Amino acid sequence: MTISLFRPFRCNHSTRLRHALAAFCLALTPVMAPAQTVVALGDSLTQGYGLPDGEGFVPVLQAWLRDRGHDATIVNAGVSGDTTAGGLSRVDWALQPDAEALIVNLGGNDMLRGLDPAQTRANLDAILTKADERGLPVLLIGLRAPGNYGPDFQTAFNAIATDLAAKHGAILADDYLGPLVSGNQLDRRLMQDDGIHPNAEGVQRLVAVVGPQVEELLTRVN
């Protein structure tokens, strides 16, 4: 007589119900993309000037991404008042070893100070070159110069982001504050009292527009 040490498993109704409930719960659980670290190099528009914690560009963007299933950490490397020269001087420090992508949002202070667009271009070109050397995908965020700086300045400045994005194969958002424009000027209802920085509602609108481009950036992470 042969005695079997193993008895066939019979799935009773209770076991089948538990398995079905477990499968159902798994189906409802959001599938998160692999964790990714993105450095946001910028000035006060990135840093969150004048806004409470949690309402600046970086935390709002990170929350927007996570709501859409991305386990992304956005590192706030924004410094109020920074120029492209300042960004270039600290980009090596900002790009820590775990950085996997870069957002560049610089140039506003160069424009406000009337700095030579050729120098702004050279600084941004150098920043993107450093990202290229690291193999990092880049989202380059540009700004549009107003006409009061003169047509030559306006033309030269407005071409910077478009040209450099094409040169380096970066994703381009060429008019960051464009979603806040009503008529020919920034909508005061979406701006802080200084008329330069977006308020909390303005940030929400900006993130809704640039967010899909950041999603595209995440798809380029190796």
Side-chain angles (χ1 to χ4, degrees):
M1 180 175 66
T2 301
I3 300 175
S4 174
L5 297 179
F6 302 97
R7 292 191 300 174
F9 174 76
R10 289 184 173 84
C11 183
N12 57 33
H13 292 294
S14 177
T15 302
R16 286 198 296 269
L17 179 60
R18 287 197 300 270
H19 288 174
L21 287 173
F24 179 72
C25 291
L26 286 173
L28 293 179
T29 302
V31 178
M32 301 294 284
Q36 296 165 312
T37 300
V38 180
V39 173
L41 182 71
D43 49 34
S44 55
L45 295 175
T46 299
Q47 181 266 335
Y49 174 87
L51 294 169
D53 289 344
E55 295 186 5
F57 173 76
V58 168
V60 171
L61 174 61
Q62 182 160 300
W64 187 92
L65 291 169
R66 294 201 170 178
D67 285 346
R68 294 174 63 86
H70 301 281
D71 186 15
T73 297
I74 311 299
V75 178
N76 193 338
V79 174
S80 291
D82 215 359
T83 61
T84 56
L88 176 58
S89 71
R90 61 189 177 85
V91 64
D92 290 327
W93 170 84
L95 291 176
Q96 297 298 311
D98 61 345
E100 297 173 276
L102 177 65
I103 298 171
V104 180
N105 189 0
L106 286 164
N109 289 307
D110 295 48
M111 179 183 66
L112 290 174
R113 299 178 188 183
L115 301 181
D116 184 355
Q119 188 58 55
T120 299
R121 177 187 289 266
N123 292 333
L124 289 173
D125 193 9
I127 290 171
L128 268 60
T129 296
K130 287 179 177 291
D132 292 344
E133 291 169 351
R134 287 276 302 270
L136 301 179
V138 176
L139 168 61
L140 179 59
I141 299 178
L143 292 167
R144 311 295 286 180
N148 57 300
Y149 289 92
D152 291 342
F153 182 99
Q154 185 180 41
T155 299
F157 186 91
N158 290 351
I160 293 172
T162 302
D163 292 348
L164 292 181
K167 176 180 178 180
H168 292 272
I171 300 168
L172 173 66
D174 69 338
D175 188 9
Y176 179 60
L177 294 178
L180 308 185
V181 172
S182 178
N184 293 321
Q185 58 186 3
L186 292 167
D187 189 336
R188 300 287 300 186
R189 295 169 298 180
L190 302 172
M191 305 299 293
Q192 298 182 41
D193 290 341
D194 61 12
I196 297 174
H197 298 93
N199 58 25
E201 183 181 354
V203 170
Q204 291 284 345
R205 185 171 297 192
L206 293 171
V207 167
V209 173
V210 78
Q213 292 168 306
V214 179
E215 286 188 300
E216 181 183 352
L217 178 68
L218 295 178
T219 67
R220 296 191 181 187
V221 173
N222 293 326

